[in-house]
Amino acid sequence: MSDHEDKHEESLLEKISEKVKGHDLSSSSSDSDDDKPSESSMKAKVFRLFGRERPVHDVFGGGKQADIFLWRNKKISAGALGVATVIWVLFELLEYHLLTLVCHLLILALGLLFLWSNAATFIHKSPPRIPEVQIPKDPVLEFAQALRFEINRGFAVLRDIASGRDLKKFLSVIAGLWVLSIVGSWCNFLTLFYIVFVLLHTLPVLYEKYEDKVDPLTEKAWHEIKKQYAVFDAKVLSKIPKRPLKEKEKEKKKD
């Protein structure tokens, strides 16, 4: 009887110990689960340039244009940058005019076709065939509709800015146009376009490579800009008289 009681006590002790171990495991797993949202919340708090939440590739559309800007296809990216550089060198450094370039290219093309056509009779080969240009109608119509929509949306945005409903947006647009006019006085449109084209092919890929180092610096700069803007708002913008709310409501009803 004593042996039977000892075995029964041992089995009870084993069950109790198993329950304690199971409780410890469940508590540790729950603690690990509690740590997961804290880690995700920490990741969510990481500052990203322009407040983006997607990768750089998705910000640029995630298609072929993103592959070109981020040098996923190095041959196409280098080719596009090389063509833009050749055009800029021709028209800006060599001061080549567009009409002169078109005429010279046409002269070269006509000369080559003339030689090929006359030499074909002696070589007993067929003369060169000039391909016909065929443009499908549907893509052209879709492009025209999209262009019309974007133009109308741009006019709507300009109207909204010019109405003065959002004073901050109005002043920021005025400041941006003023800076752009200063930049335009330094260089012509072709040089400005080439600079923007080169920046689009260099800055995104560099930022994607060093974003962990760039984002903390931009966060500090952004906080400093906010401080300066708060001072400007307190000293200047807050003293500008604003229109009453009734007039704004009337304009909204008219729109």
Side-chain angles (χ1 to χ4, degrees), residues 226-239:
K226 281 186 175 181
K227 289 180 182 178
Q228 297 299 326
Y229 179 78
V231 174
F232 179 73
D233 190 11
K235 292 183 178 180
V236 180
L237 296 181
S238 60
K239 297 180 181 180

PDB file of all heavy atoms in Angstrom, residues 226-239:
ATOM      1  N   LYS A 226      10.914  73.227 -39.242  1.00  0.00           N
ATOM      2  CA  LYS A 226       9.662  73.426 -38.510  1.00  0.00           C
ATOM      3  C   LYS A 226       9.817  74.511 -37.440  1.00  0.00           C
ATOM      4  O   LYS A 226       8.913  75.327 -37.228  1.00  0.00           O
ATOM      5  CB  LYS A 226       9.223  72.113 -37.869  1.00  0.00           C
ATOM      6  CG  LYS A 226       8.560  71.143 -38.836  1.00  0.00           C
ATOM      7  CD  LYS A 226       8.035  69.932 -38.083  1.00  0.00           C
ATOM      8  CE  LYS A 226       7.256  69.020 -39.012  1.00  0.00           C
ATOM      9  NZ  LYS A 226       6.715  67.829 -38.306  1.00  0.00           N
ATOM     10  N   LYS A 227      10.951  74.516 -36.760  1.00  0.00           N
ATOM     11  CA  LYS A 227      11.181  75.542 -35.740  1.00  0.00           C
ATOM     12  C   LYS A 227      11.212  76.931 -36.365  1.00  0.00           C
ATOM     13  O   LYS A 227      10.582  77.877 -35.858  1.00  0.00           O
ATOM     14  CB  LYS A 227      12.499  75.264 -35.010  1.00  0.00           C
ATOM     15  CG  LYS A 227      12.474  74.057 -34.100  1.00  0.00           C
ATOM     16  CD  LYS A 227      13.818  73.877 -33.418  1.00  0.00           C
ATOM     17  CE  LYS A 227      13.830  72.627 -32.540  1.00  0.00           C
ATOM     18  NZ  LYS A 227      15.171  72.421 -31.913  1.00  0.00           N
ATOM     19  N   GLN A 228      11.936  77.057 -37.481  1.00  0.00           N
ATOM     20  CA  GLN A 228      12.022  78.359 -38.142  1.00  0.00           C
ATOM     21  C   GLN A 228      10.664  78.796 -38.678  1.00  0.00           C
ATOM     22  O   GLN A 228      10.310  79.985 -38.625  1.00  0.00           O
ATOM     23  CB  GLN A 228      13.053  78.304 -39.278  1.00  0.00           C
ATOM     24  CG  GLN A 228      14.469  78.014 -38.820  1.00  0.00           C
ATOM     25  CD  GLN A 228      15.007  79.061 -37.870  1.00  0.00           C
ATOM     26  OE1 GLN A 228      14.694  80.241 -37.983  1.00  0.00           O
ATOM     27  NE2 GLN A 228      15.841  78.632 -36.927  1.00  0.00           N
ATOM     28  N   TYR A 229       9.901  77.847 -39.190  1.00  0.00           N
ATOM     29  CA  TYR A 229       8.578  78.189 -39.696  1.00  0.00           C
ATOM     30  C   TYR A 229       7.636  78.596 -38.560  1.00  0.00           C
ATOM     31  O   TYR A 229       6.796  79.489 -38.732  1.00  0.00           O
ATOM     32  CB  TYR A 229       7.981  77.009 -40.464  1.00  0.00           C
ATOM     33  CG  TYR A 229       6.593  77.300 -40.993  1.00  0.00           C
ATOM     34  CD1 TYR A 229       6.424  78.072 -42.136  1.00  0.00           C
ATOM     35  CD2 TYR A 229       5.457  76.811 -40.331  1.00  0.00           C
ATOM     36  CE1 TYR A 229       5.161  78.359 -42.624  1.00  0.00           C
ATOM     37  CE2 TYR A 229       4.194  77.100 -40.805  1.00  0.00           C
ATOM     38  CZ  TYR A 229       4.048  77.865 -41.959  1.00  0.00           C
ATOM     39  OH  TYR A 229       2.797  78.146 -42.424  1.00  0.00           O
ATOM     40  N   ALA A 230       7.770  77.949 -37.400  1.00  0.00           N
ATOM     41  CA  ALA A 230       6.950  78.331 -36.253  1.00  0.00           C
ATOM     42  C   ALA A 230       7.252  79.770 -35.833  1.00  0.00           C
ATOM     43  O   ALA A 230       6.336  80.539 -35.502  1.00  0.00           O
ATOM     44  CB  ALA A 230       7.188  77.372 -35.095  1.00  0.00           C
ATOM     45  N   VAL A 231       8.528  80.146 -35.864  1.00  0.00           N
ATOM     46  CA  VAL A 231       8.899  81.529 -35.544  1.00  0.00           C
ATOM     47  C   VAL A 231       8.319  82.489 -36.576  1.00  0.00           C
ATOM     48  O   VAL A 231       7.768  83.550 -36.235  1.00  0.00           O
ATOM     49  CB  VAL A 231      10.430  81.657 -35.463  1.00  0.00           C
ATOM     50  CG1 VAL A 231      10.840  83.111 -35.270  1.00  0.00           C
ATOM     51  CG2 VAL A 231      10.980  80.805 -34.334  1.00  0.00           C
ATOM     52  N   PHE A 232       8.420  82.131 -37.858  1.00  0.00           N
ATOM     53  CA  PHE A 232       7.880  82.978 -38.925  1.00  0.00           C
ATOM     54  C   PHE A 232       6.362  83.090 -38.829  1.00  0.00           C
ATOM     55  O   PHE A 232       5.783  84.157 -39.061  1.00  0.00           O
ATOM     56  CB  PHE A 232       8.285  82.391 -40.284  1.00  0.00           C
ATOM     57  CG  PHE A 232       7.770  83.169 -41.459  1.00  0.00           C
ATOM     58  CD1 PHE A 232       8.306  84.397 -41.789  1.00  0.00           C
ATOM     59  CD2 PHE A 232       6.740  82.652 -42.242  1.00  0.00           C
ATOM     60  CE1 PHE A 232       7.828  85.109 -42.870  1.00  0.00           C
ATOM     61  CE2 PHE A 232       6.262  83.361 -43.325  1.00  0.00           C
ATOM     62  CZ  PHE A 232       6.805  84.600 -43.645  1.00  0.00           C
ATOM     63  N   ASP A 233       5.721  82.000 -38.453  1.00  0.00           N
ATOM     64  CA  ASP A 233       4.267  82.004 -38.307  1.00  0.00           C
ATOM     65  C   ASP A 233       3.831  82.893 -37.146  1.00  0.00           C
ATOM     66  O   ASP A 233       2.836  83.621 -37.242  1.00  0.00           O
ATOM     67  CB  ASP A 233       3.778  80.574 -38.095  1.00  0.00           C
ATOM     68  CG  ASP A 233       2.259  80.466 -38.168  1.00  0.00           C
ATOM     69  OD1 ASP A 233       1.624  81.457 -38.582  1.00  0.00           O
ATOM     70  OD2 ASP A 233       1.710  79.404 -37.821  1.00  0.00           O
ATOM     71  N   ALA A 234       4.595  82.820 -36.055  1.00  0.00           N
ATOM     72  CA  ALA A 234       4.226  83.625 -34.887  1.00  0.00           C
ATOM     73  C   ALA A 234       4.468  85.118 -35.111  1.00  0.00           C
ATOM     74  O   ALA A 234       3.705  85.959 -34.624  1.00  0.00           O
ATOM     75  CB  ALA A 234       5.015  83.155 -33.672  1.00  0.00           C
ATOM     76  N   LYS A 235       5.513  85.456 -35.876  1.00  0.00           N
ATOM     77  CA  LYS A 235       5.859  86.862 -36.062  1.00  0.00           C
ATOM     78  C   LYS A 235       5.169  87.512 -37.254  1.00  0.00           C
ATOM     79  O   LYS A 235       4.926  88.724 -37.238  1.00  0.00           O
ATOM     80  CB  LYS A 235       7.379  87.003 -36.216  1.00  0.00           C
ATOM     81  CG  LYS A 235       8.158  86.683 -34.953  1.00  0.00           C
ATOM     82  CD  LYS A 235       9.644  86.909 -35.161  1.00  0.00           C
ATOM     83  CE  LYS A 235      10.427  86.636 -33.874  1.00  0.00           C
ATOM     84  NZ  LYS A 235      11.888  86.848 -34.056  1.00  0.00           N
ATOM     85  N   VAL A 236       4.852  86.721 -38.300  1.00  0.00           N
ATOM     86  CA  VAL A 236       4.336  87.314 -39.541  1.00  0.00           C
ATOM     87  C   VAL A 236       2.940  86.804 -39.888  1.00  0.00           C
ATOM     88  O   VAL A 236       1.974  87.565 -39.974  1.00  0.00           O
ATOM     89  CB  VAL A 236       5.307  87.044 -40.716  1.00  0.00           C
ATOM     90  CG1 VAL A 236       4.767  87.655 -42.007  1.00  0.00           C
ATOM     91  CG2 VAL A 236       6.676  87.610 -40.404  1.00  0.00           C
ATOM     92  N   LEU A 237       2.815  85.488 -40.079  1.00  0.00           N
ATOM     93  CA  LEU A 237       1.563  84.938 -40.604  1.00  0.00           C
ATOM     94  C   LEU A 237       0.394  85.127 -39.647  1.00  0.00           C
ATOM     95  O   LEU A 237      -0.736  85.361 -40.080  1.00  0.00           O
ATOM     96  CB  LEU A 237       1.747  83.443 -40.914  1.00  0.00           C
ATOM     97  CG  LEU A 237       2.761  83.109 -42.010  1.00  0.00           C
ATOM     98  CD1 LEU A 237       2.808  81.596 -42.227  1.00  0.00           C
ATOM     99  CD2 LEU A 237       2.407  83.800 -43.316  1.00  0.00           C
ATOM    100  N   SER A 238       0.662  84.995 -38.356  1.00  0.00           N
ATOM    101  CA  SER A 238      -0.439  85.124 -37.398  1.00  0.00           C
ATOM    102  C   SER A 238      -0.987  86.546 -37.321  1.00  0.00           C
ATOM    103  O   SER A 238      -2.111  86.755 -36.853  1.00  0.00           O
ATOM    104  CB  SER A 238       0.030  84.680 -36.016  1.00  0.00           C
ATOM    105  OG  SER A 238       1.112  85.482 -35.570  1.00  0.00           O
ATOM    106  N   LYS A 239      -0.194  87.528 -37.769  1.00  0.00           N
ATOM    107  CA  LYS A 239      -0.639  88.914 -37.721  1.00  0.00           C
ATOM    108  C   LYS A 239      -1.398  89.343 -38.968  1.00  0.00           C
ATOM    109  O   LYS A 239      -1.930  90.455 -39.014  1.00  0.00           O
ATOM    110  CB  LYS A 239       0.579  89.830 -37.521  1.00  0.00           C
ATOM    111  CG  LYS A 239       1.285  89.591 -36.187  1.00  0.00           C
ATOM    112  CD  LYS A 239       2.475  90.494 -36.031  1.00  0.00           C
ATOM    113  CE  LYS A 239       3.179  90.234 -34.699  1.00  0.00           C
ATOM    114  NZ  LYS A 239       4.370  91.105 -34.515  1.00  0.00           N
TER     115      LYS A 239
END
